[in-house]
Amino acid sequence: MPMHNAEIADAFEDLADLLEVEDANPFRVRAYRNAARVIRSNRRRIADLAAEDLTDLPEVGEDLAQKIRALVETGELPALEEVRKRVPQSISEMMRIEGLGAKKVKALYEGLGVKGLEDLKQAAEEGRVAELEGFGEKTQEMILERAADAAEKEQRSLRNDAEDVAEPLLAYLEAIDGVKQVELAGSYRRRKETVGDLDILVTAERGTPVMQRFVDYDEVAEVASRGDTRSTVHLRSGMQVDLRLLPQVSFGAALHYFTGSKAHNVAVRKLGRKRGYKLNEYGVFEGDQRIAGRTEEDVFASLDLPYIPPDLRENRGEIEAAREDRLPDMVRLGDIRGDLHCHTRYTDGHAGLRAMAEAARELGREYLAITDHTQNLKVVNGLDAKRLRRQMAEIDRLNDELEGITLLKGAEVDILEDGDLDLPDDVLQALDLTVCSLHSKFDLPRNQQTERVLRALDHPAFRILGHPTGRRLNQRPPLALDLEKVMRAAAERGRFLEVSAQPDRLDLNDEACLLARELGVQVAISTDAHTAADLDLMRYGLEQARRGWLEKKHVINTRTLKQLQKLLQN
DNA sequence: GCCGTTTTCGGCCCGACTGTTTTCAGTCG
C-alpha cells in the first residue's frame, strides 16, 4: 500500500519538532515544515511521483527529494530514526500544549527528565515544574489545565458548526456602539471545509471598549490573553477566538494578512520584496512610507494585481493567474438552476415528493431530481424496480400539476462490489438520470476499488458518481480510490462527478474540483437533501467548487432544463 | 534545507502578548 501524502508530511513534521527541541538550525527546521505543508496539500500522490523529479515540487530540493524517496520505498526516514536515538519521540507530544514550544519542552526534558504528557502532568502535580528556571507557578498551572486536553486529538469544526458559533458573535460585536468594521478572517473567510479557530478584525472609534465587551461576551468560557489590540478567548463550544483591534489605515493589510493562507501570504510578500516593499499586517511600506493598507484592493493594487477573492488564496497559482488576468470567474449560487440528488419518504428522506418539489421551487430551483436509494441498501428500505416504477408514475402525475418546477426521475443506485449497478437495465434506462454511489465495501484495495468504479462508469445508464470518495469529515477518511483515473474515464465517457454539499461530506473537495477542472470533467453540485430544509445546503458545496476554481460552465446544474436533458441523453 | 530579475552564498516575516529572568526569551499566528 503506497504511503499517503499525510503520512509523509507527518514524518517530516515529527523530524522538524524533534530537531527544534535539539536546537537545530531554525531555517532547516522551517524547510522541513514547509515541505511537509507542500506534500500534505498536494493533490497528487507523492508516492506515485517518487520516480519522477521530486525537486519540481516547491520547497523540495535534492536532499528532501532523496529523503522522500527513501521514506516511500522503505517506510522509514533515516534522519528521523537518527534523531529519535537522541531525543524520545514522545516529547514532541508536549508541544501540543498551547504555550509550550520547543525551548520550554527542551528545558523540561533536560531539567526534569520529562519525556511525555504523562510525565509532565506528574511533574506539574508535584510542583517540580514551577521550580525549574524560566518556569513559574502560572506556567505550571497552565500545564496542569491543558495536559489532559492535549491528550485528546484536536479536531477542526465543520463550516456550518463554525457559522453557528461565529454569526451571533459577529452580530454582538457589530452592535457595540462605536464599532465601525467587523470582519472574520482566516480559513473561515477563505471558505475552507473546516475551521480551526476564528480570527476577528475590528475597527472602532477611539475609546470604544471593544476588548472589554469581547471578553465579557456570554459564551466566553476562558480568557487566554487580553491586551489593548489583541485578545484570545475560548468559547464554551471549545472554539478559540482571536480578536484584533486595528487602526482604519491598516485594516485592509491586516485583513489580507490574517485571511491567509500562509502559503499565499508568503508568495505575496515575496512579490513585494522584489519591488523593494515591505508587507506586514500594517500595510505595504516603501522605506518608512506606507503606500497601501486601508483596503485589500489597495494592497493588491500596490503590487499591480487585481483583487484576488479569499476563496482562491491558497497559493495554487492564483497569483500568476491574477498577474495574467486569467483568474477564474467562479460559479455563483445564483447560477444554480437545479438540484440533482435528494431523498424522500420512499426511502430515508423525511418529506414527500410534493413537499420537496415545493421547497426547491421556493429556493428558485427550476428542476429537482428525485434520487432515492436502491434495493441493495436494505437499512433504508431501498427501492426495487417495482417500487421505483410506482414512484416514477407519481412523479409524472405531479409534473402535470406543478408549476414552476420540474421533477426529474432518478435514483441513487448502489454500485455493487463487482461494479454492477443495483437495478435491472430496463428500469435504469427509463430514468432521466442516475446518481451512482458506493455504500458498501469501503475497504477494498485501491486497485480493486478503482476497477469497481471504472466498471460502473461503463454502464450505459451511469450519469453521476455520487459523493465520490465517501469521506465523512472528522469521521471517515476518503476510501482508497485513484481519483485521477476515475476522472479521466468519466471525461472520456461524458459522465459527471458529484460535489456533495452535505457539510460533513463536501465530496469532491476543493482540490479534487481543481483536478476535475484540469481533466475536463464536469460536476454536479448537489445537496443530497433528506429533508426540505436540506435543499438549502447548496452553498456549502458551491463554496468548495469555487475554491476549486470551477466556473459556471464546469457545473451541469447551472444549465437550463433543456440543456441539461440534452447533456444527460448521451 | 531551500532558493535565485539582490542568483551558487547568504538570506530566510515579524509584531503582540505573557510570564518571569526586572529587561527579555519564548510562543503564537
Side-chain angles (χ1 to χ4, degrees):
Chain A
M1 185 65 190
M3 197 168 271
H4 200 272
N5 288 358
E7 294 174 80
I8 302 173
D10 286 344
F12 285 107
E13 294 275 10
D14 283 349
L15 181 56
D17 283 351
L18 296 182
L19 283 173
E20 198 173 16
V21 172
E22 283 202 311
D23 224 2
N25 176 352
F27 297 109
R28 185 175 163 221
V29 172
R30 191 192 294 171
Y32 287 132
R33 294 228 166 94
N34 287 342
R37 198 180 62 218
V38 165
I39 292 164
R40 196 180 298 282
S41 69
N42 201 289
R43 61 182 191 277
R44 299 189 58 190
R45 285 162 63 106
I46 303 295
D48 294 342
L49 301 177
E52 297 169 33
D53 191 2
L54 289 170
T55 61
D56 285 347
L57 293 169
E59 311 293 338
V60 175
E62 272 311 319
D63 180 87
L64 271 162
Q66 180 272 324
K67 284 189 167 69
I68 293 168
R69 270 195 299 273
L71 178 59
V72 167
E73 280 164 22
T74 68
E76 284 197 350
L77 186 59
L80 182 56
E81 303 306 319
E82 277 299 307
V83 193
R84 278 178 180 155
K85 280 182 202 158
R86 302 189 295 264
V87 189
Q89 168 82 44
S90 57
I91 76 166
S92 64
E93 71 188 34
M94 290 192 275
M95 287 170 71
R96 289 215 300 271
I97 293 182
E98 195 186 332
L100 287 191
K103 294 281 159 59
K104 288 221 168 91
V105 165
K106 179 182 160 78
L108 287 164
Y109 172 56
E110 288 176 351
L112 299 176
V114 164
K115 288 202 183 78
L117 281 174
E118 271 309 305
D119 286 2
L120 179 61
K121 216 174 128 201
Q122 201 182 337
E125 277 164 2
E126 291 167 7
R128 287 186 285 135
V129 171
E131 290 163 15
L132 201 58
E133 198 183 336
F135 292 75
E137 284 296 335
K138 290 212 170 176
T139 308
Q140 179 163 283
E141 258 173 59
M142 179 274 287
I143 288 171
L144 276 172
E145 259 172 48
R146 295 182 186 167
D149 288 346
E152 287 170 33
K153 220 176 115 203
E154 53 166 324
Q155 278 203 338
R156 293 169 63 89
S157 305
L158 299 186
R159 269 208 71 76
N160 59 328
D161 295 337
E163 279 179 18
D164 288 346
V165 173
E167 295 299 333
L169 174 54
L170 291 180
Y172 169 83
L173 293 170
E174 279 163 0
I176 297 171
D177 210 25
V179 164
K180 290 198 271 194
Q181 282 162 290
V182 180
E183 285 281 355
L184 221 170
S187 54
Y188 188 95
R189 183 159 180 254
R190 300 202 312 280
R191 308 271 151 193
K192 234 185 136 185
E193 62 190 25
T194 58
V195 177
D197 51 25
L198 301 176
D199 300 307
I200 300 178
L201 308 182
V202 174
T203 60
E205 285 163 23
R206 189 182 297 272
T208 307
V210 178
M211 285 304 169
Q212 192 54 47
R213 299 289 297 277
F214 175 57
V215 298
D216 285 346
Y217 183 55
D218 254 4
E219 292 290 314
V220 170
E222 187 204 346
V223 180
S225 73
R226 184 196 190 290
D228 291 338
T229 63
R230 180 185 162 193
S231 297
T232 300
V233 303
H234 296 271
L235 301 181
R236 284 184 208 163
S237 61
M239 183 77 81
Q240 176 178 316
V241 188
D242 286 358
L243 185 135
R244 289 180 170 81
L245 182 62
L246 300 150
Q248 196 82 51
V249 71
S250 56
F251 188 74
L255 187 55
H256 180 259
Y257 182 90
F258 290 109
T259 295
S261 66
K262 196 165 186 168
H264 168 88
N265 286 353
V266 168
V268 169
R269 271 199 301 273
K270 196 182 251 182
L271 212 59
R273 268 206 310 275
K274 276 185 196 163
R275 292 166 179 248
Y277 302 158
K278 191 178 79 165
L279 267 84
N280 58 27
E281 61 263 53
Y282 300 106
V284 182
F285 295 89
E286 187 169 19
D288 290 337
Q289 183 91 31
R290 187 204 311 266
I291 60 167
R294 190 167 284 271
T295 68
E296 280 191 321
E297 283 81 355
D298 290 351
V299 172
F300 285 118
S302 73
L303 303 171
D304 283 331
L305 291 175
Y307 180 77
I308 301 176
D311 327 40
L312 298 180
R313 299 182 197 165
E314 298 290 343
N315 197 29
R316 295 170 178 158
E318 72 277 11
I319 293 167
E320 296 76 3
R323 203 153 38 174
E324 293 158 18
D325 198 26
R326 50 173 182 80
L327 282 171
D329 180 16
M330 299 179 287
V331 59
R332 299 173 185 81
L333 193 54
D335 295 329
I336 298 291
R337 289 174 183 269
D339 194 337
L340 299 178
H341 186 164
C342 78
H343 299 271
T344 72
R345 282 204 194 106
Y346 273 83
T347 59
D348 59 346
H350 299 285
L353 289 171
R354 180 187 292 274
M356 291 300 280
E358 285 171 352
R361 186 175 56 193
E362 280 291 300
L363 291 169
R365 309 278 182 261
E366 294 167 29
Y367 48 87
L368 172 68
I370 303 297
T371 55
D372 272 307
H373 289 289
T374 56
Q375 56 198 6
N376 184 56
L377 216 52
K378 300 271 193 292
V379 286
V380 300
N381 193 23
L383 302 177
D384 57 19
K386 197 171 152 196
R387 288 176 60 224
L388 181 53
R389 295 262 185 205
R390 200 181 330 143
Q391 186 186 61
M392 292 164 72
E394 190 185 343
I395 290 173
D396 282 337
R397 282 196 301 278
L398 262 176
N399 274 336
D400 286 342
E401 246 179 74
L402 287 166
E403 305 253 328
I405 181 124
T406 302
L407 292 181
L408 298 175
K409 289 170 283 190
E412 182 177 12
V413 187
D414 264 37
I415 298 174
L416 303 177
E417 186 177 355
D418 57 5
D420 274 349
L421 299 187
D422 182 34
L423 281 174
D425 289 357
D426 61 329
V427 65
L428 288 175
Q429 296 291 4
L431 293 169
D432 295 317
L433 83 162
T434 59
V435 175
C436 302
S437 306
L438 300 168
H439 288 123
S440 60
K441 298 279 174 191
F442 291 129
D443 52 356
L444 292 182
R446 190 160 188 260
N447 276 346
Q448 216 171 315
Q449 197 71 273
T450 304
E451 280 308 312
R452 176 188 186 189
V453 174
L454 291 180
R455 228 191 118 227
L457 268 165
D458 277 334
H459 194 289
F462 189 109
R463 289 296 176 272
I464 300 167
L465 180 61
H467 43 72
T469 77
R471 72 154 179 184
R472 305 291 290 272
L473 287 163
N474 287 343
Q475 288 175 51
R476 189 167 72 205
L479 42 78
L481 185 69
D482 188 336
L483 210 49
E484 187 171 337
K485 216 175 215 178
V486 168
M487 284 191 190
R488 285 187 193 283
E492 264 170 32
R493 291 163 180 71
R495 306 307 185 219
F496 313 106
L497 269 68
E498 181 177 88
V499 175
S500 174
Q502 290 282 319
D504 67 336
R505 286 195 183 270
L506 301 176
D507 177 18
L508 305 171
N509 67 5
D510 54 346
E511 301 213 332
C513 286
L514 266 169
L515 188 61
R517 178 186 154 108
E518 191 182 311
L519 298 178
V521 191
Q522 295 179 64
V523 306
I525 306 175
S526 303
T527 62
D528 193 356
H530 286 69
T531 66
D534 279 357
L535 290 165
D536 201 22
L537 295 174
M538 186 63 80
R539 63 198 166 102
Y540 295 109
L542 201 89
E543 287 169 354
Q544 298 313 309
R546 289 168 58 88
R547 284 174 52 80
W549 293 50
L550 294 188
E551 305 182 31
K552 186 177 173 183
K553 65 183 177 195
H554 299 117
V555 180
I556 63 173
N557 49 318
T558 61
R559 307 287 205 283
T560 63
L561 178 58
K562 217 168 179 178
Q563 292 168 331
L564 178 78
Q565 283 167 329
K566 204 171 161 199
L567 263 185
L568 292 172
Q569 262 165 23
N570 312 305

